[in-house]
Amino acid sequence: MSRIGKKPIDLPGGVSASVSGQTIEVKGPKGTRSFTATDDVDLKVEDNTVTVTPRGKSKRARQQWGMSRTQVANLVTGVTDGFSKELEINGVGYRAQVQGKTLKLALGYSHDVDFEIPDGVTITAAKPTELKVEGIDQQLVGQVAANIREWRKPEPYKGKGIKYKDEFIFRKEGKKK
């Protein structure tokens, strides 16, 4: 039995869910998200709770059970609270600023990097060295943060680069004379 799949998902106030076939649509204060489950699970909405049950005892049905429940729970979290990733920029002269739908990054290259902000994601720069990526889609927020980090990954000697706020950079010792 899936421990994760067994737990019902409570819908907070202001959030509604509707099931049509294998697709569940969740509406909340921040927007609307939907998820299409495989044919191995059943989705039911009753009394402000969503339950996911497997259709059989096959291995695939048990695998999809927990995963589908987590996906639906992430939809509910996204439309109520949203998701965010925080990035830090370390390095002399490294900075970022948001101009409209473009994020301008100065990362030690001979040119500034212009990163187009996709729809569904907002990026704010409280300081020139701190970025916050926010949105209702957890996968999209994580992918955008990873794409920004990809421009200049943190290096192990001085720690220069773009890193997640809670990330630990393993430091190496430099050359010795």
Side-chain angles (χ1 to χ4, degrees):
M1 293 273 295
S2 171
R3 290 184 183 199
I4 294 171
K6 279 193 288 189
K7 290 174 23 184
I9 304 153
D10 293 324
L11 297 176
V15 177
S16 64
S18 60
V19 176
S20 61
Q22 288 298 101
T23 302
I24 185 166
E25 187 175 271
V26 180
K27 292 180 184 168
K30 290 203 174 215
T32 303
R33 298 264 301 127
S34 65
F35 168 70
T36 304
T38 61
D39 291 331
D40 298 309
V41 294
D42 280 327
L43 301 167
K44 289 188 187 96
V45 179
E46 299 162 341
D47 305 330
N48 279 344
T49 60
V50 179
T51 54
V52 181
T53 53
R55 284 201 175 150
K57 296 200 182 287
S58 68
K59 184 175 182 179
R60 181 170 162 77
R62 288 181 285 129
Q63 289 170 340
Q64 295 296 319
W65 186 17
M67 190 273 304
S68 298
R69 189 252 178 226
T70 304
Q71 291 282 7
V72 174
N74 284 341
L75 296 184
V76 173
T77 305
V79 297
T80 53
D81 303 329
F83 295 98
S84 69
K85 290 266 188 187
E86 293 183 353
L87 299 166
E88 284 181 353
I89 302 172
N90 295 322
V92 177
Y94 288 14
R95 63 187 176 280
Q97 77 183 97
V98 179
Q99 293 180 345
K101 292 288 286 173
T102 305
L103 174 67
K104 288 201 170 289
L105 298 166
L107 299 172
Y109 295 118
S110 61
H111 55 86
D112 283 353
V113 174
D114 290 339
F115 182 82
E116 292 297 321
I117 301 171
D119 293 334
V121 173
T122 57
I123 298 177
T124 54
K127 297 180 187 173
T129 58
E130 289 181 7
L131 292 174
K132 191 170 190 178
V133 182
E134 297 174 297
I136 63 172
D137 185 356
Q138 185 180 27
Q139 192 275 330
L140 185 62
V141 167
Q143 188 62 53
V144 168
N147 289 346
I148 293 170
R149 183 181 182 273
E150 193 73 25
W151 281 102
R152 185 70 92 175
K153 288 184 183 170
E155 52 96 17
Y157 296 100
K158 290 184 178 177
K160 289 169 43 172
I162 303 172
K163 71 179 191 85
Y164 297 112
K165 193 153 199 130
D166 57 354
E167 183 180 9
F168 175 75
I169 306 300
F170 182 76
R171 290 294 178 71
K172 290 182 177 179
E173 197 173 329
K175 290 196 289 187
K176 292 191 169 105
K177 273 192 166 180

